[in-house]
């Protein structure tokens, strides 16, 4: 398998939406339970590219197998904060690609002036939480009933990583 990790570009948009839809439809990990419409996804991905926000994709033999992004938060007083999201299609998991994606995205985020990265992870997703801890993220809070899928609640943790101060 040939793995390439690179910044998102328009040529990735369709594959990226397919990967998002695959992970979302598992209904166990993400806030989405299916991908937004093609139009909404395209607008979102275009905003990332046009604004130089941080999103990297993993290509396995040329096909988008996952992503990691660190996206801005609203408000000038929180402009130093990015929110991290990550996902890999099932066949791309357990090969160390998540860690590689995170390293690339975090490194790119620090370069844009971000000094704090936040994320939210379901309490029943120990694989992702362990990866975040390995990358240095610290748990800051426990959020009961913060996800609900098909009427079933799940708790989540908020985690954060502090980077170099500017
Ligand atoms: C979370 C996620 C991105 C982690 O990516 P990953 O590449 O599988 O992560 P890791 O490299 O840390 O590997 C995870 C597991 O594979 C194992 N692994 C890593 N590299 C390996 C390798 N080369 N060979 C065999 N196993 C390996 C790890 O030990 C770990 O095992 P564990 O879960 O039993 O502890 C991925 O599982 C995923 O996309 N999950 C669904 C979406 C999701 O949870 N997103 C995050 C929402 S907050």
């Amino acid at each position: 398998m040939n793995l390439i990790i690179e910044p998102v570009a328009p040529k990735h948009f369709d594959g990226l939406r397919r990967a998002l839809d695959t992970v979302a439809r598992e209904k166990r990990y993400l806030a989405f339970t299916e991908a937004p419409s093609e139009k909404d996804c395209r607008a979102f991905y275009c905003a990332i590219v046009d604004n130089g926000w941080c999103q990297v994709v993993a290509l396995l033999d040329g096909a988008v197998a996952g992503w990691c992004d660190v996206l801005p938060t609203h408000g000038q007083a929180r402009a130093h904060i990015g929110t991290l999201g990550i996902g890999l299609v099932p066949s791309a998991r357990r090969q160390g690609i998540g860690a590689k994606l995170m390293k690339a995205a975090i490194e790119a985020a620090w370069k844009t002036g971000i000094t704090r990265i936040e994320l939210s992870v379901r309490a029943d997703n120990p694989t992702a939480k362990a990866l975040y801890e390995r990358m240095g993220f610290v748990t800051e809070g426990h959020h009961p009933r913060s996800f609900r899928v098909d009427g079933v609640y799940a708790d989540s943790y908020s985690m954060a990583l502090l980077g170099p101060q500017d």
Side-chain angles (χ1 to χ4, degrees):
M1 284 269 199
N2 177 35
L3 171 69
I4 295 174
I5 292 178
E6 62 186 18
V8 68
K11 64 181 176 188
H12 304 128
F13 288 176
D14 289 342
L16 191 50
R17 180 173 181 273
R18 272 195 300 275
L20 169 64
D21 195 54
T22 298
V23 181
R25 285 177 189 276
E26 291 180 86
K27 295 187 170 184
R28 294 178 52 195
Y29 307 112
L30 306 183
F32 288 113
T33 56
E34 60 184 283
S37 69
E38 280 181 31
K39 185 168 163 264
D40 287 354
C41 277
R42 180 160 287 273
F44 179 62
Y45 299 144
C46 281
I48 291 174
V49 171
D50 292 347
N51 289 290
W53 295 335
C54 167
Q55 183 171 58
V56 292
V57 294
L59 305 176
L60 271 180
D61 293 336
V64 177
W67 71 91
C68 183
D69 45 38
V70 181
L71 299 176
T73 315
H74 293 295
Q76 291 85 350
R78 288 171 57 80
H80 62 290
I81 298 174
T83 302
L84 185 140
I86 186 169
L88 285 167
V89 297
S91 60
R93 294 174 196 162
R94 301 184 65 83
Q95 301 169 50
I97 300 173
K100 288 181 181 150
L101 271 175
M102 280 190 78
K103 277 187 194 137
I106 290 169
E107 205 172 289
W110 298 150
K111 284 187 185 149
T112 68
I114 280 172
T115 59
R116 172 182 162 89
I117 300 177
E118 299 178 344
L119 62 81
S120 169
V121 58
R122 280 177 57 148
D124 56 1
N125 189 357
T127 299
K129 188 161 185 278
L131 172 61
Y132 300 147
E133 284 165 352
R134 284 205 302 282
M135 302 298 296
F137 280 78
V138 171
T139 302
E140 295 186 334
H142 174 225
H143 305 269
R145 285 197 209 168
S146 46
F147 284 72
R148 188 173 67 179
V149 177
D150 296 336
V152 179
Y153 288 104
D155 296 359
S156 70
Y157 296 108
S158 51
M159 303 182 78
L161 177 70
L162 298 184
Q165 278 187 306
D166 54 8

